[in-house]
Amino acid sequence: LGSPYQPVIETLGNYPQKRFYNVAKLGGTKYDILPYSIRVFFESSVRNCDGLLVKETDAMNILDWKTKQNNVEVPFCPARVVLQDFTGIPAMVDFAAMREAVRNAGGDPAKVNPACPTDLTVDHSLQIDFSKWPETVLRNQEMEFGRNKERLQFFKWSSKVFKTVSIIPPETGMAHQVNLEYLSRVVFEVKDFLYPDSVVGTDSHTTMVNGLGILGWGVGGIETEAVMLGMPLTLTLPEVVGCELTGTASLLATSIDIVLGITKQLRQADVTGKLVEFFGTGVAQLSVADRTTIANMCPEYGAILSFFPVDNVTLKHLKHTGFDKAKLEVMEAYLKAVKLFRNDESSSTEPEYSQIVQINLSSIVPCVSGPKRSQDRVAVNNMKSDFQACLNEKSGVKGFQIAVEKQNDIVPVQYEGNEYKLSHGCIVIAAVISCTNNCNPSVMLAAGLLAKKAVEAGLVVKPYIRTSLSPGSGMVTHYLSSSGVLPYLNKLGFEVVGYGCSTCVGNTAPLPEAIRNAIKQGDIIACGILSGTKNFEGRLCDCVRANYLASPPLVVAYAIAGTVRIDFETEPLGTGFNGKSVYLRDIWPTRRELHEVEEECVISSMFKELKEKMEKGNKRWNSLEAPLSTLFPWDLKSTYIRCPSFFDKLAKEPAPVQAIENAHVLLYLGDSVTTDHISPAGSIARSSAAAKYLTNRGLTPREFNSYGARRGNDAVMTRGTFANIKLLNKFIGKPAPKTIHFPSGQTLDVFEAAELYQKEGIPVIILAGKKYGLGSSRDWAAKGPFLLGVKAVLAESFEKAHRSQLIGIGIAPLQFLPGENPSTLNLTGKEQFSILFPQELSPRMTLDIKTSTGKVFSTIALFENDVEIALYKYGGSLNFVARRF
């Protein structure tokens, strides 16, 4: 950096061999008032300043955050990348395809390697085949290894061929948990040079590491690949909301309750697209596990990330997790030297924030959320009356519109020789799953201790309820077992079925046929309850219409009750031994019980065992053979791994931006279309275009696996685009993955219609409402429409990450002018649309669109900066980056 700011490389106090950029000294008084998260951005810009991708002005803009927030674009170079199998495999497939393209263009394919250290965790998605003991973990792992052998061999090839790529073997744990337990450094050290740990990942749960004081968030696979190849992420210098926590939480409130309470208040404060940074006396009361649980939820309230600066609680946690004393001393000294260590007792200058949100923890009560959206929070003591209101309410985001005379209907059903009675509100799926909660020992132990007390009191779970326990890693099983509560969970049906996403992405074992038939015949509003962060209609099971999110102990409690129509204060969970009524208060574990068990059975031993497991791997993975060739030997018969077509037209120079002429509308969608609607992750329906493709290649439905598992095959994923059964296309008028091919008037699967349009040489676009692209960051939600021939998406507004992905693949995101939408413009979607781009594009420029009916209207091209314009001109970031070789 030029005068007057010179980067100061210093040695670290008592550790003269350790060097670092003293950005605190460089930034002076401006640095002292920066939020801690922005200080990490500043350090990165100083360390990576090369005058090209990261410029001196970028660093100065970050230092002037107070006046430049929301006004400038800045680059950020994370220290590392984390991939998980679902979104990691298409990234690695793209790298393999890039090697092919570079070879074909006369370059050296061996040069195609990540410039940024990259870890890929194989365990993330888990298909449950066996859910009853003893056919649980080992059998499910065997099935997973068998059906995913092609993917695993590709991953092992990647680990051998690509430099700086590390593969975390299967049967270890899922991405965000392993990231916390094993991969996180907090402070990076390369050749005795120190700098803050930071990370981006292809999973929305990457934000969990912010609870450890590590700046990190989830991005799409397209942006991640660019980072892996040395390009910085570009983002608007964000506002930072200071969230002050005060008070003390109720003894019955778990960290999940705190998460839901904070989620609601931060949603109301509108923190979308901003950073959240926690401070105040209440922070010290939260363990690191609590903090990571809170940080993990930030995508649900719209923030980029939620940051907890490193403090004494963090250091104590790291000591328990196996960090040696010398490393911790260096870490503490470095963080204090660059003023990244928070000490609430000190009188140092406090950061200034864009705004401050105050949350009193004592106001938070136990809650669940649902029945259709994670943001619809319901206090547990209001659950019974709220569900009754849902039955009465008109069909919509909360209502089911059940006639009054049918609200007390009872459907008898025979199951395993006994008769049971199903009614509205009955629980049929209860799952303690990996997302969010299993990183927090306190809530998992609470579920185990509650199960222990329930079994000892004589309570049971009805056998038709599909119960399961799928932790994020084997550490959860370890501490549940060592604490003595696992056998009691097993007795209630919560047996460990494997490690990874399962029920939450629709991979639960099928409900018993008799139960399914009874639900459908009686038109029963059956319920699923799970300990996750997201709920989408139709994701758990097509006959389960009400889905609730709850803490693990409440999942167990509701499973015992068998219904959500219960008031825990006044009604018993069930009848125990000697006909005694047992209430929730009788079996709910106290905080003191939890802390005693946690300290005794969890912290120290679980991390030691994980590290041993990581070092040893497992027999199946260690014995797996994989090729060593520079180029991957593609198997043309493979239905898992296929060389995609993204680089078929790799160009050395950008082509002129082409007009989109006489485009038909492929889909006319409404508000809040999620990436799960666009590119589902769950099972492959037997009647879908993807199923037809797989059937034609000799596979049976049992061998279909899931869309998530087949993200390395563009043929499957293209056919799976817009294949969600809950997709509501206004051309069709009811939920279905269908559309109309207007030249012929046929109603077809979306893929079949798009295929016809491409054969006819007709471009297609998508019309949509507000918040297009909500949900988890998913690269195939952009890649799939691109391969369907979609040239532009016209929407009232976009989710920011998805907008970036559309540009990164070469699709133009166009936004209607404020107050305008297809309805106000009297668009039917049956018109043809022509969009003329000028040769010189500029950020957020206005474009005119002309329809075949003669109507002309204006839209805003959502290119936020010159980099995005350049990427669009080159046909997306993958082609832009590939040109470097």
Side-chain angles (χ1 to χ4, degrees):
L1 300 181
S3 180
Y5 300 102
Q6 293 293 335
V8 182
I9 296 180
E10 293 187 356
T11 57
L12 185 65
N14 296 327
Y15 308 94
Q17 75 278 20
K18 309 295 183 185
R19 300 173 302 121
F20 67 102
Y21 277 119
N22 194 333
V23 288
K25 183 181 292 185
L26 173 64
T29 56
K30 287 185 177 180
Y31 182 89
D32 290 342
I33 62 171
L34 289 178
Y36 288 86
S37 49
I38 299 298
R39 297 178 193 184
V40 179
F41 276 95
F42 180 63
E43 192 283 336
S44 174
S45 68
V46 171
R47 179 166 38 87
N48 292 288
C49 185
D50 61 359
L52 180 64
L53 294 175
V54 182
K55 301 176 182 178
E56 177 184 341
T57 53
D58 296 321
M60 294 304 102
N61 283 334
I62 296 171
L63 190 59
D64 289 331
W65 169 83
K66 185 176 179 180
T67 58
K68 296 292 181 67
Q69 57 184 291
N70 268 343
N71 293 322
V72 295
E73 296 282 323
V74 296
F76 177 63
C77 300
R80 58 189 175 94
V81 166
V82 170
L83 306 174
Q84 45 100 322
D85 62 343
F86 266 16
T87 48
I89 194 163
M92 299 314 301
V93 166
D94 286 348
F95 267 71
M98 199 179 296
R99 284 194 164 198
E100 294 279 349
V102 169
R103 189 275 308 270
N104 294 339
D108 181 3
K111 290 183 178 180
V112 180
N113 287 289
C116 185
T118 301
D119 299 298
L120 189 151
T121 61
V122 175
D123 283 333
H124 192 79
S125 55
L126 175 67
Q127 177 96 9
I128 297 176
D129 294 279
F130 304 99
S131 59
K132 293 296 180 183
W133 186 265
E135 294 179 319
T136 52
V137 178
L138 293 178
R139 292 294 304 277
N140 280 314
Q141 289 174 348
E142 289 171 5
M143 292 293 293
E144 284 286 277
F145 202 89
R147 73 171 135 252
N148 292 316
K149 188 175 181 179
E150 287 183 49
R151 292 198 305 149
L152 295 175
Q153 286 177 319
F154 176 76
F155 282 140
K156 196 155 191 180
W157 172 82
S158 298
S159 69
K160 293 179 178 180
V161 173
F162 291 113
K163 299 174 183 177
T164 70
V165 171
S166 174
I167 304 294
I168 310 303
E171 302 172 25
T172 303
M174 63 195 308
H176 43 281
Q177 187 132 2
V178 172
N179 191 17
L180 277 173
E181 296 172 356
Y182 184 76
L183 302 176
S184 292
R185 281 81 153 177
V186 183
V187 172
F188 245 87
E189 183 175 332
V190 178
K191 296 181 180 179
D192 288 329
F193 198 91
L194 305 172
Y195 53 94
D197 189 2
S198 58
V199 61
V200 293
T202 54
D203 186 76
S204 60
H205 300 291
T206 306
T207 54
M208 291 174 75
V209 297
N210 290 279
L212 254 174
I214 299 170
L215 200 72
W217 68 97
V219 297
I222 297 166
E223 298 96 323
T224 304
E225 290 175 47
V227 171
M228 291 165 68
L229 286 168
M231 290 185 68
L233 290 172
T234 301
L235 70 163
T236 303
L237 189 60
E239 296 180 39
V240 182
V241 177
C243 184
E244 183 178 16
L245 301 181
T246 59
T248 303
S250 160
L251 292 177
L252 293 181
T254 68
S255 59
I256 309 306
D257 300 315
I258 295 172
V259 166
L260 294 174
I262 290 174
T263 296
K264 180 179 180 180
Q265 295 195 44
L266 290 179
R267 273 187 179 276
Q268 292 172 344
D270 188 18
V271 297
T272 303
K274 304 173 186 178
L275 309 189
V276 175
E277 191 166 293
F278 291 88
F279 71 102
T281 56
V283 174
Q285 301 174 40
L286 302 177
S287 68
V288 167
D290 290 334
R291 298 176 188 190
T292 55
T293 310
I294 293 166
N296 181 66
M297 196 69 170
C298 77
E300 302 305 318
Y301 45 79
I304 297 173
L305 57 89
S306 293
F307 193 69
F308 288 84
V310 175
D311 60 8
N312 288 319
V313 175
T314 317
L315 293 181
K316 182 179 179 182
H317 170 82
L318 294 174
K319 181 180 179 181
H320 286 309
T321 62
F323 275 66
D324 63 70
K325 183 178 179 181
K327 186 173 182 178
L328 283 173
E329 289 176 351
V330 170
M331 180 188 300
E332 182 177 0
Y334 168 72
L335 292 172
K336 287 181 176 178
V338 294
K339 299 182 179 178
L340 284 172
F341 188 89
R342 173 177 282 282
N343 187 345
D344 288 324
E345 297 177 359
S346 68
S347 57
S348 59
T349 305
E350 282 295 313
E352 294 185 2
Y353 295 107
S354 308
Q355 68 183 93
I356 291 178
V357 175
Q358 294 180 320
I359 298 178
N360 190 330
L361 297 178
S362 61
S363 66
I364 293 174
V365 296
C367 293
V368 299
S369 65
K372 299 183 181 182
R373 303 187 305 180
S374 55
Q375 65 263 37
D376 293 328
R377 187 165 163 256
V378 184
V380 172
N381 56 10
N382 292 332
M383 181 66 159
K384 184 175 182 179
S385 59
D386 188 81
F387 184 80
Q388 183 63 43
C390 292
L391 294 180
N392 290 321
E393 194 170 322
K394 185 178 179 181
S395 293
V397 296
K398 287 221 16 132
F400 297 104
Q401 200 171 352
I402 302 298
V404 174
E405 65 272 15
K406 292 183 174 294
Q407 291 180 7
N408 293 315
D409 283 0
I410 294 176
V411 179
V413 59
Q414 291 289 329
Y415 181 69
E416 294 185 347
N418 294 306
E419 183 177 279
Y420 299 94
K421 296 178 180 180
L422 301 184
S423 59
H424 296 299
C426 62
I427 300 283
V428 293
I429 296 176
V432 177
I433 64 168
S434 51
C435 294
T436 304
N437 307 314
N438 295 357
C439 72
N440 192 323
S442 66
V443 291
M444 295 301 293
L445 286 171
L449 288 173
L450 186 143
K452 180 176 184 293
K453 292 185 176 186
V455 171
E456 290 173 344
L459 298 178
V460 298
V461 173
K462 295 179 177 66
Y464 63 78
I465 298 176
R466 184 64 71 194
T467 51
S468 63
L469 169 59
S470 53
S473 79
M475 290 306 97
V476 181
T477 305
H478 171 73
Y479 66 69
L480 290 177
S481 179
S482 63
S483 62
V485 299
L486 189 58
Y488 297 97
L489 285 164
N490 292 342
K491 286 182 180 180
L492 293 180
F494 291 94
E495 295 156 337
V496 177
V497 294
Y499 307 105
C501 285
S502 52
T503 303
C504 59
V505 291
N507 285 349
T508 189
L511 292 178
E513 187 174 354
I515 302 300
R516 288 176 60 92
N517 291 339
I519 292 171
K520 290 182 178 181
Q521 291 169 8
D523 195 26
I524 295 295
I525 307 298
C527 300
I529 189 156
L530 63 158
S531 58
T533 59
K534 298 181 180 73
N535 46 2
F536 297 105
E537 284 188 85
R539 207 175 198 189
L540 295 188
C541 177
D542 58 2
C543 67
V544 179
R545 293 156 65 183
N547 300 308
Y548 288 93
L549 306 179
S551 65
L554 280 176
V555 170
V556 177
Y558 275 111
I560 294 169
T563 179
V564 299
R565 298 173 86 174
I566 180 173
D567 182 344
F568 286 134
E569 289 289 329
T570 60
E571 298 176 76
L573 287 173
T575 302
F577 295 127
N578 301 321
K580 181 182 178 181
S581 293
V582 181
Y583 292 82
L584 180 60
R585 58 180 174 269
D586 299 327
I587 62 172
W588 191 270
T590 66
R591 282 186 182 274
R592 183 174 180 179
E593 289 175 303
L594 286 173
H595 289 161
E596 288 177 354
V597 175
E598 190 173 3
E599 289 294 327
E600 183 179 338
C601 303
V602 180
I603 300 296
S604 299
S605 62
M606 65 184 285
F607 287 94
K608 180 181 178 181
E609 183 171 309
L610 173 66
K611 291 180 180 180
E612 291 176 353
K613 190 173 183 179
M614 294 286 287
E615 291 167 2
K616 292 179 181 178
N618 62 72
K619 291 182 180 179
R620 280 191 287 266
W621 173 259
N622 294 339
S623 63
L624 186 67
E625 295 182 357
L628 291 172
S629 54
T630 301
L631 298 174
F632 184 71
W634 306 99
D635 180 359
L636 298 180
K637 295 180 181 179
S638 174
T639 58
Y640 278 100
I641 308 294
R642 220 175 80 120
C643 187
S645 59
F646 299 121
F647 306 103
D648 288 354
K649 298 179 181 179
L650 184 62
K652 293 185 177 180
E653 299 297 334
V657 178
Q658 299 293 317
I660 302 172
E661 297 181 345
N662 299 317
H664 270 295
V665 176
L666 180 64
L667 292 160
Y668 183 5
L669 307 171
D671 296 341
S672 301
V673 173
T674 70
T675 50
D676 203 63
H677 287 114
I678 304 169
S679 183
S683 59
I684 299 172
R686 297 188 181 190
S687 60
S688 66
K692 295 173 188 175
Y693 170 85
L694 295 171
T695 301
N696 289 338
R697 278 149 186 79
L699 273 66
T700 64
R702 184 173 179 80
E703 298 170 306
F704 285 174
N705 211 326
S706 65
Y707 285 114
R710 293 191 178 275
R711 282 180 176 166
N713 185 321
D714 62 308
V716 172
M717 297 308 296
T718 306
R719 287 164 172 79
T721 303
F722 296 110
N724 191 305
I725 60 172
K726 292 296 182 180
L727 180 74
L728 184 57
N729 179 8
K730 294 185 180 183
F731 293 149
I732 304 301
K734 62 180 180 180
K738 301 285 185 179
T739 195
I740 296 174
H741 174 253
F742 286 106
S744 67
Q746 299 178 80
T747 298
L748 303 169
D749 285 339
V750 176
F751 171 78
E752 294 171 342
E755 190 177 37
L756 271 181
Y757 280 126
Q758 291 195 66
K759 287 179 181 179
E760 296 161 346
I762 300 174
V764 293
I765 63 173
I766 290 171
L767 290 182
K770 300 181 181 71
K771 299 179 181 179
Y772 181 80
L774 282 172
S776 56
S777 185
R778 197 167 288 176
D779 61 334
W780 270 109
K783 289 178 177 177
F786 174 80
L787 293 179
L788 289 178
V790 174
K791 303 298 182 184
V793 177
L794 279 68
E796 288 185 70
S797 63
F798 291 83
E799 197 278 333
K800 187 174 182 180
H802 187 63
R803 179 200 64 82
S804 298
Q805 291 167 12
L806 292 175
I807 295 170
I809 201 63
I811 296 175
L814 306 179
Q815 183 171 290
F816 291 102
L817 297 181
E820 293 186 353
N821 57 47
S823 295
T824 63
L825 294 170
N826 295 317
L827 300 175
T828 65
K830 299 177 181 179
E831 308 91 341
Q832 287 182 273
F833 294 74
S834 294
I835 308 167
L836 182 63
F837 291 90
Q839 288 305 303
E840 294 300 323
L841 300 178
S842 60
R844 298 186 69 86
M845 69 184 305
T846 299
L847 295 179
D848 287 337
I849 298 180
K850 184 178 181 179
T851 72
S852 54
T853 60
K855 179 182 288 293
V856 177
F857 63 95
S858 297
T859 61
I860 301 170
L862 292 185
F863 304 113
E864 298 291 352
N865 51 63
D866 291 337
V867 173
E868 291 188 345
I869 291 172
L871 296 181
Y872 181 73
K873 285 183 176 180
Y874 278 101
S877 58
L878 299 184
N879 278 299
F880 180 81
V881 172
R883 285 181 57 258
R884 297 175 58 195
F885 302 104

